[in-house]
Amino acid sequence: MSHPTTTTLTTSYTTLDSPLGELLLVGEESPTAPGGTALTSLSMPHQRGAATVQPHWRRDPRPFTEAVRQLRAYFTGELTRFDLEYRTSGTEFQERVWQALEAVPYGTTTTYGRLAEALGVRRAEVRALGAAIGANPLLILRPCHRVIGADGTMRGYAAGVERKTALLTHEGALQPTLV
């Protein structure tokens, strides 16, 4: 009698200093991803629902070389679209929403209502759409910061509205404010 084998994927992580604070990048082994690791999470300090380093995770910056290169290029204004492999484990609805975020172009914003319409989400389900956006495990990479209120307000962001504003200003979607 044969027993099914369980494959345990190695989870690796690294950190990256950024203009928004120290980013935590987490990934799992993937033979098709650059560096052999598909990103499962990118989070910021004090982010609601952020990943936390687990004892069985391995700290190793090597698998994240390409992700770090692309993030640095993003923060210097040289990159406007990421080309990385992701592996997330949301519900079917969450995954649809997260993938739709990738279609919102750099330097632009959309509203919760327009995103709901594009996904065929009924008005009664817009709150669920907002919850899915708030649960996005790949901040910056899947640009949930580009979704704003219909009145132009910065509605919620798991890492704080100040960071959302900073990202949109960096991308040119908002004008810098004079203080």
Side-chain angles (χ1 to χ4, degrees):
M1 180 183 290
S2 68
H3 296 283
T5 56
T6 304
T7 304
T8 305
L9 298 174
T10 300
T11 301
S12 301
Y13 73 96
T14 194
T15 56
L16 170 67
D17 286 330
S18 83
L20 302 172
E22 185 179 72
L23 305 179
L24 173 64
L25 288 80
V26 181
E28 292 179 349
E29 288 177 303
S30 169
T32 58
T37 297
L39 288 169
T40 58
S41 175
L42 187 152
S43 54
M44 299 179 205
H46 312 295
Q47 173 187 326
R48 186 177 64 248
T52 54
V53 175
Q54 301 298 307
H56 63 279
W57 291 2
R58 180 178 51 130
R59 183 178 192 111
D60 185 358
R62 291 172 302 186
F64 300 97
T65 302
E66 181 59 17
V68 166
R69 184 194 71 73
Q70 288 187 35
L71 282 161
R72 285 186 174 141
Y74 168 81
F75 284 116
T76 60
E78 299 166 27
L79 183 86
T80 60
R81 187 159 179 83
F82 296 98
D83 184 19
L84 298 165
E85 185 177 315
Y86 309 136
R87 182 178 296 150
T88 51
S89 56
T91 66
E92 184 179 325
F93 180 74
Q94 287 174 323
E95 293 290 341
R96 273 184 54 223
V97 170
W98 297 340
Q99 288 173 0
L101 293 172
E102 293 178 47
V104 182
Y106 180 95
T108 68
T109 59
T110 191
T111 65
Y112 292 91
R114 284 194 302 243
L115 190 60
E117 189 177 309
L119 288 166
V121 172
R122 295 188 318 259
R123 193 173 232 347
E125 297 170 316
V126 171
R127 179 166 264 140
L129 176 97
I133 292 169
N136 174 19
L138 292 165
L139 296 191
I140 304 170
L141 303 174
R142 284 191 165 154
C144 54
H145 59 275
R146 296 179 189 153
V147 183
I148 63 172
D151 59 0
T153 57
M154 299 298 113
R155 302 270 168 86
Y157 187 60
V161 172
E162 313 77 33
R163 287 187 176 129
K164 180 176 192 163
T165 301
L167 285 165
L168 291 173
T169 302
H170 167 72
E171 294 182 0
L174 289 179
Q175 293 300 312
T177 56
L178 301 173
V179 181

